[in-house]
Amino acid sequence: MTGISRRTDGAGLSRRGFLAAAGALGGAALAGCGSAEPQVATGPALQDEYTGEPVTLRYWHGFTGGDGPAMQALVDRFNESQDRITVEPNTIQWNQYYQRVIAAVHAGKGPDVGTLQIDQLANLAARQTINPLDEVVTQLGLQESEFPQEVWRNGVYRGSRYGVPLDVHSLASYGNRAVLQQAGLERQPRTGEELEEQTRALLAAGVETPFWMPNRWPAHLIFLSLLWQFGGEPYAEDGSRATFDSDAGVQALTWMRRQVDAGISPPDVAQDSQYVGFKNGQGAYTWDGIWQINDLQSTDLDWDIAPVPQVGDQPASWASSHHLVLFRQRDPDDDKLLAGKAFMRYLLEASSEWTAAGMIPALASARETPEFQESPQAALADAVPTLRFLPPVPGLGDVQVQTLEIAVSNAVLGREQPAAALSGAAARATEQMQANQQKFEV
Amino acid sequence: MTDTNVSRPATGGASALSVEAAPRSAAPPVRGDRSRKRDTRDAVLFLAPYLVIFTVFVLAPLLYGIWVSLHDYDFTLPEAPWVGLENYTGLLTGDSPFAETFWQSVQATWLFTALTVPLLLVLPLLVALVLNQKFPGRNLFRALYFAPYVLGVAVVAVLWRYLLDTNIGLVNHYLGVIGLRDTVPWLTSLPWAWISLVGVTVWWTLGFNTVIYLAALQDISPELYEAARVDGANAVQRFRNVTLPGLRPVVLFITSVTIIASVNMFGQSYLMTAGGPGTETRTGIYEIAEVGLRQFNTGQAAAMSLIFTFFLMVVSLAVFYAFRDRDARR
């Protein structure tokens, strides 16, 4: 800089000097809004009540389904319960949520608090988007023993905790009772053999295609559940390798495709149509996330919910968890951090009300409450210890979209044999995971 | 010819003289030149706002993009190591984990373009020729053909995704009603997925090209048709010798705009097929968005974009060359 300004001294502004000056000005303008990088800060210790200046908190979440109104009700109640903190919620589809929130935080326009899925927690931690919460957990007085073990453990990335679990949500089997009764069936199957018997009975009773097999979402969740049931692991725990092409994976995917070949599922089930079909009375079962509970409750379908049947050697089901997080800021503000922690505490205390979203509260005590015990998803409570989660590896979720999901889709559509589809995708996934490992080492 | 050739150097010499030596007031022959100079200054003044916008929103991002493509760039990480041309060579040699899907997406893009552009050049012309006739209800039909273009890509894609659903869609339902095959996998199998995407895109954007053709048709002087008729030309001859030449500048415009729009296809496959089956209908822009915006491999995605831009420039030049004004040399 000094070199250039000396050159332009006295001789008016040369073109090069002008460009340099303009560049410097731009740089200064950027530097003007605090630090260029989001900063780690969790503020002073939280007292019983927030007593600071009145603040407005920006809260981002992705509850766009039947869970949306339940979150809005909790936020409204919080805003009415006190007059110093106003929470402004912003709902973004999960599909878009992460890329947006990462970009927003790095641009210095990020929200203060958020809810996100555990699969993305490590990713956002590695990308300097969320704050480590070890001290906050102590301030909130939370104990490991109050939460399902794996949910609690997966909130940690590189020795620091980044999220506080709000709930658990898993894959489940929905049954259309009216259709099941056509074949004289009283309850949903508990095992793979029972499912086979039931589908045979349903086909015999004239129910065409009782169990639709999707090729896209939630096909990969079905695949992961079955893979775990057959004793496999989709990825190495340390994030170095994809292992979903193991025998367990091939067994899982072969089973999925067999539903189509056996005429139990129609071929070529396009995006979302297995669920829309089920909602309109087609088919006896559909496997989907428990977040659909509220949506189904608003229809006049006669349905019930059960854990995913045990097709493999052990019970298992894909699950995820919504975690509460504090986003990093370029200019951390103590009042906002305190208010954010107060809001987190409020949401945790409201865990049992959160049942209304169709979720299973993460807090063990909330699962004892009548609110939960009387909810449809209480039928899944016993399955909580068999729920399985993806390992906390940054970037893994996005690798999975590009590899595993496409392999599952290709095999279910019959475009590729399960083994070939999986081994190709696993090789690509391993390459991308190793590239990610290098990238996040810094 | 000779006249202008001789006079040009003369004025050139005079203007050079006027700038360097001659006092302005004492050089009456130069007045024409002075006004010409003022003219260019005005032009620059009027163009400046656009040049600023062009620099800020096109040129600077392009240069920044080139710089990004030379790094292992991820804006969420503190360091972006310099990798030179590695992002490019990885894609060209297949070493990059994204090379396979990238080249597949490039192929898919060209396939889509090759299928869409001829349809979007010919069909709108036919529609425009019909709509240019005088018949009752003409304005209603003009509006009807243009109507889909008003809809956003999200509306169009979601609408058709449900209409074309294999198992619960209306299209297959009515095919069954009239006794045809009602299990066509419109969105989950090839070649149906391409047929759906091309069909929907043509339905959606046909109106735009039609309106441009229509305007150009109305611009062709009726006297030319009359003269042709007097000379004994029949309808086909009039179309070939009057209509088509009259449309040429507009055809150039429509061709390049349609090619660019087709190459940039994203929303239709993102929403209707999710790039499927597999990654078959994933286009270049789709792949770049996935790699750059979702996975934050910005350097890699920038390299992809620039390779893509290069192809697009080659094609655009080819189009301009094919439509170059052959009369200009005469």
Side-chain angles (χ1 to χ4, degrees):
Chain A
M1 260 319 293
T2 45
I4 290 164
S5 50
R6 211 178 300 134
R7 205 183 307 152
T8 55
D9 263 354
L13 205 54
S14 75
R15 190 171 55 172
R16 197 178 294 180
F18 171 75
L19 285 175
L25 212 68
L30 278 179
C33 27
S35 156
E37 300 264 310
Q39 301 296 302
V40 171
T42 56
L46 181 65
Q47 306 303 315
D48 282 345
E49 221 175 303
Y50 174 74
T51 51
E53 291 295 305
V55 287
T56 301
L57 284 182
R58 283 162 306 164
Y59 169 49
W60 285 21
H61 65 76
F63 300 115
T64 52
D67 41 17
M71 181 47 81
Q72 188 59 47
L74 284 182
V75 170
D76 288 344
R77 216 184 62 187
F78 177 74
N79 284 339
E80 281 158 25
S81 71
Q82 40 74 47
D83 48 13
R84 287 183 179 273
I85 310 172
T86 312
V87 173
E88 261 179 18
N90 180 14
T91 315
I92 300 160
Q93 268 190 20
W94 290 122
N95 192 19
Q96 310 272 322
Y97 182 91
Y98 302 103
Q99 62 194 79
R100 290 225 200 143
V101 83
I102 291 171
V105 168
H106 281 268
K109 310 255 179 219
D112 302 293
V113 272
T115 308
L116 46 85
Q117 293 154 315
I118 194 170
D119 328 40
Q120 287 278 354
L121 203 66
N123 191 28
L124 268 72
R127 293 184 186 284
Q128 313 175 80
T129 306
I130 47 180
N131 271 311
L133 297 180
D134 296 291
E135 288 169 24
V136 178
V137 166
T138 322
Q139 290 167 23
L140 295 174
L142 299 171
Q143 303 289 330
E144 175 169 3
S145 56
E146 295 172 288
F147 295 92
Q149 200 189 8
E150 207 171 349
V151 175
W152 184 256
R153 220 177 44 209
N154 283 2
V156 173
Y157 173 67
R158 294 208 171 164
S160 295
R161 164 162 305 281
Y162 283 90
V164 178
L166 176 65
D167 64 42
V168 180
H169 50 277
S170 69
L171 193 69
S173 172
Y174 294 91
N176 183 332
R177 274 205 287 242
V179 173
L180 286 171
Q181 271 156 16
Q182 283 180 35
L185 300 168
E186 288 305 312
R187 59 164 178 82
Q188 287 203 48
R190 297 200 178 112
T191 64
E193 289 89 52
E194 273 184 31
L195 179 67
E196 241 182 276
E197 282 165 28
Q198 289 204 357
T199 50
R200 234 175 314 181
L202 284 159
L203 287 170
V207 178
E208 280 174 43
T209 57
F211 179 36
W212 291 28
M213 186 55 68
N215 85 89
R216 292 277 171 175
W217 181 281
H220 64 291
L221 309 181
I222 297 176
F223 169 75
L224 286 168
S225 301
L226 295 172
L227 175 140
W228 276 311
Q229 290 192 357
F230 282 111
E233 278 297 338
Y235 305 99
E237 190 77 14
D238 61 355
S240 61
R241 232 152 32 86
T243 54
F244 54 75
D245 58 342
S246 61
D247 284 348
V250 176
Q251 274 175 295
L253 199 48
T254 308
W255 187 89
M256 289 170 74
R257 173 63 199 175
R258 198 159 63 223
Q259 308 309 309
V260 181
D261 289 332
I264 294 163
S265 163
D268 299 300
V269 176
Q271 236 187 127
D272 290 339
S273 62
Q274 80 290 341
Y275 180 71
V276 177
F278 180 81
K279 239 170 104 171
N280 289 308
Q282 305 222 27
Y285 328 95
T286 194
W287 293 4
D288 213 314
I290 60 174
W291 50 85
Q292 304 285 26
I293 286 176
N294 277 2
D295 189 49
L296 284 175
Q297 263 171 341
S298 66
T299 67
D300 45 15
L301 203 70
D302 180 17
W303 59 277
D304 64 4
I305 188 168
V308 170
Q310 182 190 329
V311 173
D313 315 319
Q314 59 197 41
S317 169
W318 169 89
S320 180
S321 163
H322 290 124
H323 278 229
L324 304 172
V325 297
L326 281 181
F327 290 105
R328 295 190 195 180
Q329 307 292 337
R330 283 187 184 173
D331 293 302
D333 177 305
D334 279 353
D335 276 345
K336 285 196 168 185
L337 288 165
L338 272 174
K341 288 189 280 190
F343 180 58
M344 281 169 89
R345 181 171 61 192
Y346 160 81
L347 283 179
L348 281 172
E349 281 167 359
S351 277
S352 56
E353 282 91 345
W354 183 232
T355 304
M359 305 289 168
I360 302 171
L363 266 175
S365 57
R367 273 178 271 140
E368 307 294 326
T369 59
E371 279 104 325
F372 177 71
Q373 296 287 337
E374 286 155 20
S375 71
Q377 63 268 36
L380 307 171
D382 293 341
V384 168
T386 67
L387 298 182
R388 304 295 295 267
F389 300 80
L390 287 177
V393 175
L396 184 59
D398 299 310
V399 172
Q400 180 165 285
V401 175
Q402 304 301 325
T403 54
L404 181 145
E405 287 189 27
I406 286 161
V408 170
S409 163
N410 277 338
V412 170
L413 290 175
R415 302 179 72 234
E416 268 189 286
Q417 288 301 313
L422 287 175
S423 68
R428 274 203 306 282
T430 300
E431 265 183 68
Q432 294 186 20
M433 289 169 75
Q434 281 169 356
N436 273 351
Q437 267 192 327
Q438 263 183 355
K439 191 159 127 175
F440 292 115
E441 235 167 46
V442 190
Chain B
M1 277 295 276
T2 40
D3 235 291
T4 44
N5 271 345
V6 173
S7 63
R8 245 178 225 151
T11 27
S15 83
L17 193 79
S18 73
V19 169
E20 279 159 23
R24 278 176 195 176
S25 55
V30 197
R31 203 165 52 204
D33 263 294
R34 272 177 65 200
S35 70
R36 204 179 297 149
K37 243 186 210 143
R38 202 167 56 226
D39 276 348
T40 55
R41 266 198 310 247
D42 290 350
V44 167
L45 201 67
F46 279 111
L47 287 173
Y50 177 72
L51 285 177
V52 170
I53 291 171
F54 180 79
T55 309
V56 172
F57 291 105
V58 179
L59 199 61
L62 179 69
L63 295 175
Y64 187 51
I66 293 173
W67 184 82
V68 164
S69 76
L70 302 174
H71 294 77
D72 186 2
Y73 191 89
D74 181 331
F75 72 86
T76 70
L77 298 179
E79 279 169 52
W82 167 268
V83 293
L85 293 174
E86 220 172 84
N87 283 330
Y88 294 93
T89 53
L91 288 173
L92 294 172
T93 59
D95 288 341
S96 156
F98 303 105
E100 199 187 319
T101 39
F102 173 67
W103 292 113
Q104 197 190 13
S105 76
V106 170
Q107 271 180 9
T109 309
W110 291 130
L111 178 64
F112 177 79
T113 308
L115 293 172
T116 318
V117 172
L119 288 174
L120 279 176
L121 285 182
V122 176
L123 288 180
L125 178 57
L126 297 179
V127 173
L129 285 172
V130 174
L131 292 180
N132 201 29
Q133 309 296 315
K134 286 202 176 90
F135 60 92
R138 183 174 72 161
N139 284 337
L140 175 74
F141 278 102
R142 284 183 180 175
L144 279 182
Y145 274 99
F146 191 70
Y149 188 71
V150 176
L151 301 174
V153 63
V155 178
V156 169
V158 172
L159 179 80
W160 280 100
R161 180 172 118 199
Y162 283 108
L163 289 175
L164 289 170
D165 192 285
T166 311
N167 297 293
I168 55 172
L170 274 181
V171 172
N172 271 355
H173 175 75
Y174 285 120
L175 284 179
V177 168
I178 60 168
L180 294 173
R181 177 182 167 200
D182 65 353
T183 54
V184 182
W186 290 109
L187 300 174
T188 51
S189 176
L190 294 182
W192 301 108
W194 280 124
I195 293 174
S196 307
L197 290 171
V198 170
V200 168
T201 307
V202 168
W203 172 79
W204 178 39
T205 57
L206 179 123
F208 178 73
N209 288 2
T210 304
V211 164
I212 307 228
Y213 273 131
L214 207 51
L217 285 175
Q218 288 163 0
D219 226 29
I220 299 175
S221 160
E223 286 146 28
L224 290 174
Y225 286 105
E226 249 179 69
R229 220 175 268 128
V230 168
D231 287 347
N234 62 24
V236 176
Q237 283 168 331
R238 284 200 302 274
F239 177 73
R240 277 190 52 195
N241 296 314
V242 180
T243 312
L244 280 186
L247 287 178
R248 197 173 59 194
V250 164
V251 173
L252 168 65
F253 170 76
I254 292 189
T255 310
S256 30
V257 165
T258 309
I259 287 179
I260 291 170
S262 302
V263 169
N264 285 338
M265 195 270 263
F266 169 67
Q268 295 97 307
S269 72
Y270 187 74
L271 292 164
M272 284 170 59
T273 61
T279 49
E280 300 277 359
T281 60
R282 180 183 287 200
T283 58
I285 301 292
Y286 192 151
E287 174 72 10
I288 291 166
E290 284 291 330
V291 171
L293 297 179
R294 192 179 293 276
Q295 302 201 38
F296 296 105
N297 286 314
T298 324
Q300 183 75 81
M304 288 179 179
S305 303
L306 286 161
I307 292 177
F308 214 66
T309 310
F310 172 76
F311 284 140
L312 199 52
M313 278 164 68
V314 170
V315 172
S316 297
L317 284 177
V319 170
F320 274 94
Y321 182 75
F323 284 91
R324 72 194 181 283
D325 195 356
R326 291 189 189 85
D327 301 334
R329 262 173 287 149
R330 256 181 251 155

